[in-house]
Amino acid sequence: MQDIVLLTLGIILLIIGIALYLAKKRGGLVLLALGVLWLFAMLIYYVYSTMGFYAAAGLNQSSMGPAVTTTLGFIILIVGIALAVYVARRGGKK
Amino acid sequence: MSGKGAGLWTLSIVIGLLFAAFFIYVAYDIVSKGLSNWQQWIISRPFIALGRDFWFVVAGILWVIGTIIFFMEVSGDTIDRSFRIVKNNVKWDAVDVTVTALSAAIYGGSLAATGGIPIIPGFTWLRPGNALAPLFGMLFGVPGALGTAIGNFIADALTGYLSIGSIGGFIGNFMIAYLPYKFMKDHSFRSPRSIIEYYIWGAVIGSIYVALYISWWLDALEPVIGLPRPLIWGWFAPWVIFNDAIVTSTITPILGYLLYPPIKMRGLYWKDRVGLP
């Protein structure tokens, strides 16, 4: 039930973001990004649930969950650092 | 350096070391008493002594203020020093959105990278990535704070803690980044004022605020989320304060000192982006 509420929130954020972005309104792009990243988290949630990586709370220590999480964490971290390098090279001033 | 200047530097370094030493002592206290004996931790005592009702009221006030601030800032408004509502001047252009995304990825990734190493399985995990949260606010402003919020949400999914409670974590982590961004005047870590301001707003108030914010949300939704109230206030709240403050009082100032110049030089520092002196 809780996942349905979170999923619905993510979809609402995404739809509002798309609408504002298409209407060229301020804040549309960030809401769109927020919606996409929120739904990315929900996708992880459903994949982990299906694979049996979750325990009642936290990760199931006897599953592949902890190893997959550590690996995915490092991959996401590297993507973030690559984005930081890209933005730093581009510079922030207009 | 003048005598007054040297005195201020000494004072700021002593204050910083005292805060760091206190939270290292709290770590020693927790380890020596045992992770399961949370009722005896020194950091749990104020919560147990003052009781759930007291903390529920205090945290409720902070929750309302934090939630209003979050929605105001994300929708483009802020409160200035004269308590007037003014525009926060965030453009939300491609650079701001990229900064939000990179903050989310670096924060979420760094939290999840250690998410497979639980301290108490099913309850909490090592979170050295917490050191980045105040920095993203101080360096990138509201886009960095929003990225911190999203990063925590993604980390919750990756570590098995995603629930309705994560909405509290979302805005709570926004506030860890927001408080030093908003209330520090000097984000450079290159003056006594900057260091003292950081320890007050970034390390101490930020850590307490996020703990109370999330705890109130967990308490209010206890029938849905299911974490027992004595555990929320006796264990969870003090643990969040400790888990956040131990890294923000030791690692963050070093990272901030190193990262401020390149961020500023590349025009990514938030004051330069919104045209403030």
Coordinates of all heavy atoms in Angstrom, one line a residue, chain A residues 34 37-38 41 76, chain B residues 100-112 125 127 136 144-159 169-170 173:
Chain A
L34 N 12.9 15.6 -11.1 CA 12.5 15.1 -9.8 C 11.6 13.9 -10.0 O 11.8 12.8 -9.3 CB 11.8 16.2 -9.0 CG 11.3 15.8 -7.6 CD1 12.4 15.3 -6.7 CD2 10.7 17.1 -6.9
L37 N 13.7 10.9 -11.3 CA 14.5 10.3 -10.3 C 13.7 9.6 -9.2 O 14.1 8.5 -8.7 CB 15.4 11.3 -9.6 CG 16.5 11.9 -10.6 CD1 17.2 13.1 -10.0 CD2 17.6 10.8 -10.9
W38 N 12.5 10.1 -8.9 CA 11.6 9.5 -7.9 C 11.2 8.1 -8.4 O 11.2 7.1 -7.7 CB 10.4 10.4 -7.7 CG 9.5 10.0 -6.6 CD1 8.6 9.0 -6.6 CD2 9.3 10.7 -5.3 NE1 7.9 8.9 -5.4 CE2 8.3 10.0 -4.6 CE3 9.9 11.8 -4.7 CZ2 7.9 10.3 -3.3 CZ3 9.4 12.2 -3.5 CH2 8.5 11.4 -2.8
A41 N 13.8 5.5 -8.3 CA 13.9 4.9 -6.9 C 12.8 3.8 -6.8 O 13.0 2.8 -6.3 CB 13.7 6.0 -5.9
I76 N 26.3 4.6 -9.3 CA 25.5 5.9 -9.3 C 26.5 7.0 -8.8 O 26.4 8.1 -9.4 CB 24.3 5.8 -8.3 CG1 23.3 4.8 -8.9 CG2 23.7 7.1 -8.1 CD1 22.2 4.4 -7.9
Chain B
T100 N 21.3 19.7 -9.4 CA 20.4 18.9 -8.6 C 20.7 17.4 -8.9 O 20.8 16.6 -7.9 CB 19.0 19.2 -8.9 OG1 18.8 20.6 -8.7 CG2 18.0 18.4 -8.1
A101 N 20.8 17.0 -10.1 CA 21.0 15.6 -10.5 C 22.3 15.1 -10.0 O 22.4 13.9 -9.5 CB 20.9 15.4 -12.0
L102 N 23.4 15.9 -10.1 CA 24.7 15.4 -9.7 C 24.7 15.3 -8.2 O 25.3 14.3 -7.6 CB 25.8 16.2 -10.3 CG 26.2 17.6 -9.6 CD1 27.1 17.4 -8.5 CD2 26.8 18.5 -10.7
S103 N 24.1 16.2 -7.5 CA 24.0 16.1 -6.0 C 23.3 14.8 -5.6 O 23.7 14.1 -4.7 CB 23.3 17.3 -5.4 OG 24.0 18.5 -5.8
A104 N 22.2 14.6 -6.3 CA 21.4 13.4 -6.0 C 22.2 12.1 -6.2 O 22.2 11.2 -5.4 CB 20.1 13.4 -6.8
A105 N 22.9 12.1 -7.3 CA 23.6 10.9 -7.7 C 24.8 10.7 -6.7 O 25.0 9.5 -6.2 CB 24.2 11.0 -9.1
I106 N 25.6 11.7 -6.4 CA 26.7 11.6 -5.6 C 26.3 11.2 -4.1 O 26.8 10.3 -3.5 CB 27.6 12.8 -5.6 CG1 28.2 13.0 -7.0 CG2 28.7 12.8 -4.5 CD1 29.1 14.3 -7.1
Y107 N 25.2 11.9 -3.7 CA 24.8 11.7 -2.3 C 24.1 10.3 -2.2 O 24.5 9.5 -1.3 CB 23.8 12.8 -1.9 CG 23.4 12.7 -0.4 CD1 24.4 12.8 0.6 CD2 22.1 12.6 0.0 CE1 24.0 12.8 1.9 CE2 21.7 12.6 1.3 CZ 22.7 12.7 2.3 OH 22.3 12.7 3.6
G108 N 23.2 10.0 -3.1 CA 22.5 8.7 -3.1 C 23.5 7.6 -3.3 O 23.5 6.5 -2.6
G109 N 24.4 7.7 -4.2 CA 25.4 6.7 -4.5 C 26.4 6.5 -3.3 O 26.7 5.3 -3.0
S110 N 26.8 7.6 -2.7 CA 27.7 7.4 -1.6 C 27.0 6.8 -0.4 O 27.7 6.0 0.4 CB 28.4 8.7 -1.2 OG 27.4 9.6 -0.8
L111 N 25.8 7.1 -0.2 CA 25.0 6.4 0.9 C 24.8 4.9 0.7 O 25.0 4.1 1.5 CB 23.7 7.1 1.2 CG 23.6 8.5 1.7 CD1 22.2 9.0 1.8 CD2 24.3 8.6 3.1
A112 N 24.4 4.6 -0.6 CA 24.1 3.2 -0.9 C 25.4 2.4 -1.0 O 25.3 1.2 -0.7 CB 23.4 3.2 -2.3
W125 N 22.5 1.7 8.8 CA 23.7 1.3 8.2 C 24.7 2.5 8.3 O 24.4 3.6 8.7 CB 23.5 0.9 6.8 CG 23.3 2.0 5.7 CD1 24.2 2.5 4.9 CD2 22.1 2.7 5.4 NE1 23.7 3.4 4.1 CE2 22.3 3.6 4.4 CE3 20.7 2.6 5.9 CZ2 21.4 4.4 3.8 CZ3 19.8 3.4 5.3 CH2 20.1 4.3 4.3
R127 N 26.8 5.5 7.3 CA 26.4 6.6 6.4 C 27.5 7.6 6.3 O 27.2 8.8 6.6 CB 25.1 7.2 6.8 CG 23.9 6.3 6.6 CD 22.6 6.9 7.1 NE 22.2 8.1 6.4 CZ 21.2 8.2 5.6 NH1 20.4 7.2 5.3 NH2 20.9 9.4 5.1
F136 N 26.5 20.3 -0.1 CA 25.8 20.5 -1.3 C 24.9 21.8 -1.1 O 24.7 22.5 -2.1 CB 24.9 19.3 -1.6 CG 25.7 18.2 -2.2 CD1 25.4 16.9 -2.0 CD2 26.8 18.4 -3.0 CE1 26.1 15.8 -2.6 CE2 27.6 17.4 -3.5 CZ 27.2 16.1 -3.3
G144 N 21.3 22.2 -4.8 CA 22.1 21.2 -4.1 C 21.3 20.5 -2.9 O 21.3 19.3 -2.7
A145 N 20.5 21.3 -2.2 CA 19.6 20.8 -1.1 C 18.6 19.9 -1.7 O 18.3 18.8 -1.1 CB 19.0 22.0 -0.4
L146 N 18.0 20.2 -2.8 CA 17.0 19.4 -3.4 C 17.6 18.0 -3.9 O 17.0 17.0 -3.7 CB 16.3 20.1 -4.6 CG 15.1 19.3 -5.2 CD1 14.0 19.1 -4.2 CD2 14.5 20.1 -6.4
G147 N 18.8 18.2 -4.5 CA 19.5 16.9 -4.9 C 19.8 16.0 -3.7 O 19.7 14.8 -3.8
T148 N 20.2 16.6 -2.5 CA 20.4 15.8 -1.3 C 19.1 15.1 -0.9 O 19.2 13.9 -0.6 CB 20.8 16.8 -0.2 OG1 21.9 17.5 -0.6 CG2 21.1 16.0 1.1
A149 N 18.0 15.7 -1.0 CA 16.7 15.1 -0.7 C 16.4 13.9 -1.6 O 16.1 12.8 -1.2 CB 15.6 16.1 -0.8
I150 N 16.6 14.1 -2.9 CA 16.4 13.0 -3.9 C 17.4 11.9 -3.7 O 17.0 10.7 -3.7 CB 16.5 13.5 -5.3 CG1 15.5 14.7 -5.6 CG2 16.2 12.4 -6.3 CD1 15.7 15.4 -6.9
G151 N 18.6 12.2 -3.4 CA 19.7 11.2 -3.2 C 19.3 10.3 -2.0 O 19.5 9.1 -2.1
N152 N 18.8 10.9 -0.9 CA 18.4 10.1 0.2 C 17.3 9.2 -0.1 O 17.2 8.0 0.3 CB 18.0 11.0 1.4 CG 17.8 10.3 2.7 OD1 18.8 9.8 3.3 ND2 16.6 10.1 3.1
F153 N 16.3 9.7 -0.9 CA 15.2 8.8 -1.3 C 15.7 7.6 -2.1 O 15.2 6.5 -1.9 CB 14.2 9.7 -2.2 CG 12.9 9.1 -2.4 CD1 11.9 9.1 -1.4 CD2 12.6 8.5 -3.7 CE1 10.7 8.5 -1.7 CE2 11.4 7.9 -3.9 CZ 10.4 7.9 -2.9
I154 N 16.6 7.9 -3.1 CA 17.1 6.8 -3.9 C 17.9 5.8 -3.0 O 17.8 4.5 -3.1 CB 18.1 7.3 -5.0 CG1 17.2 8.1 -6.0 CG2 18.8 6.2 -5.7 CD1 18.1 8.9 -7.0
A155 N 18.7 6.3 -2.0 CA 19.4 5.4 -1.1 C 18.5 4.6 -0.3 O 18.8 3.4 0.0 CB 20.3 6.3 -0.2
D156 N 17.3 5.2 0.1 CA 16.3 4.4 0.9 C 15.9 3.2 0.1 O 15.7 2.1 0.6 CB 15.1 5.3 1.2 CG 15.3 6.1 2.5 OD1 16.4 5.9 3.1 OD2 14.4 6.8 2.9
A157 N 15.6 3.4 -1.2 CA 15.2 2.3 -2.1 C 16.3 1.2 -2.2 O 16.0 0.0 -2.2 CB 14.8 2.8 -3.5
L158 N 17.5 1.7 -2.3 CA 18.6 0.7 -2.5 C 19.0 0.0 -1.2 O 19.6 -1.1 -1.3 CB 19.9 1.5 -3.0 CG 19.9 1.9 -4.5 CD1 21.0 2.9 -4.7 CD2 20.2 0.6 -5.3
T159 N 18.6 0.5 -0.1 CA 19.0 -0.1 1.2 C 17.8 -0.8 2.0 O 18.0 -1.3 3.1 CB 19.7 0.9 2.1 OG1 18.9 2.1 2.2 CG2 21.0 1.3 1.6
G169 N 12.2 11.6 5.4 CA 13.6 11.6 5.1 C 13.9 12.6 4.0 O 15.0 13.2 3.9
F170 N 13.0 12.7 3.0 CA 13.2 13.5 1.8 C 13.4 15.0 2.3 O 14.4 15.6 2.0 CB 12.0 13.4 0.9 CG 12.1 14.0 -0.4 CD1 12.7 13.4 -1.5 CD2 11.7 15.3 -0.6 CE1 12.8 14.0 -2.7 CE2 11.8 16.0 -1.9 CZ 12.3 15.3 -2.9
N173 N 16.4 15.6 4.9 CA 17.7 15.7 4.3 C 17.8 17.0 3.5 O 18.9 17.6 3.5 CB 18.0 14.5 3.4 CG 18.5 13.3 4.2 OD1 19.7 13.1 4.3 ND2 17.6 12.6 4.8

